[in-house]
Structure formats: C-alpha cells, structure tokens
Amino acid sequence: MSKATCAVCVTFHIKEEFIDPFREAVTAQAKNSLEKEPWCHQFDVCTTADSPNTFMLYETYDDRSAFEEKHRKTDHFAVFIRTVENWIESKQLGVWEIT
C-alpha cells in the first residue's frame, strides 16, 4: 500500500433542514471513496454537538493529483455533489501535504 502524502480537510455548513440527508449522503460518499478508490487511504466524517449543521471531512490520498485528478472525477463524487449542492450554506476546502 502506498503512503499517503496528501490530506484534504473540507468543512461544510449545511442548511438545518438538510442535516440528516446530508449525513446519509456524506457517509455513503466516504464508504464509496474507501471501497472504490485505492488511492484514498482515509475518509473520516466528523461532527460536533456544538454545531450540528457543521461537518468536517478528513481524507488522505496517495498525492495531490490522486485527489484532484482521480477522486474528484469519479462517478460517485459527481453524484454526491449533485445531491448535496443545494443543501450547503458554505464550504471550505484545504489541501495539505503530509510530511
């Protein structure tokens, strides 16, 4: 197995009425990414009781191109984005190098 050199952190703020369906969709997205993408090593969906409409994703990949050129071009990613795009109040994305 390759060592991951890229970490991705995504924070979503979800419209209140879509919290539960977003949780289901993002959990399925995490499962699909781990099962269908050998270049995806970790995909954690994190929440906090202090802000129930906030979700933080922590994902690791072989490298930045595995995230940008492979993960973001999968069919399951496209379905996820189409499903949730109108549920999102805001989104922040950070791509990090693992040293």
Side-chain angles (χ1 to χ4, degrees), residues 49-82:
D50 295 339
S51 181
N53 72 319
T54 302
F55 292 79
M56 193 277 285
L57 311 184
Y58 179 79
E59 310 164 40
T60 63
Y61 295 89
D62 284 347
D63 52 36
R64 188 179 190 117
S65 69
F67 169 68
E68 293 176 351
E69 301 300 321
K70 294 179 181 177
H71 170 74
R72 296 182 90 177
K73 294 182 179 180
T74 61
D75 290 340
H76 59 268
F77 180 80
V79 168
F80 171 70
I81 293 301
R82 279 194 310 269

Side-chain angles (χ1 to χ4, degrees), residues 4-16:
T5 64
C6 175
V8 176
C9 298
V10 188
T11 302
F12 289 96
H13 296 281
I14 302 302
K15 296 174 186 172
E16 190 172 328

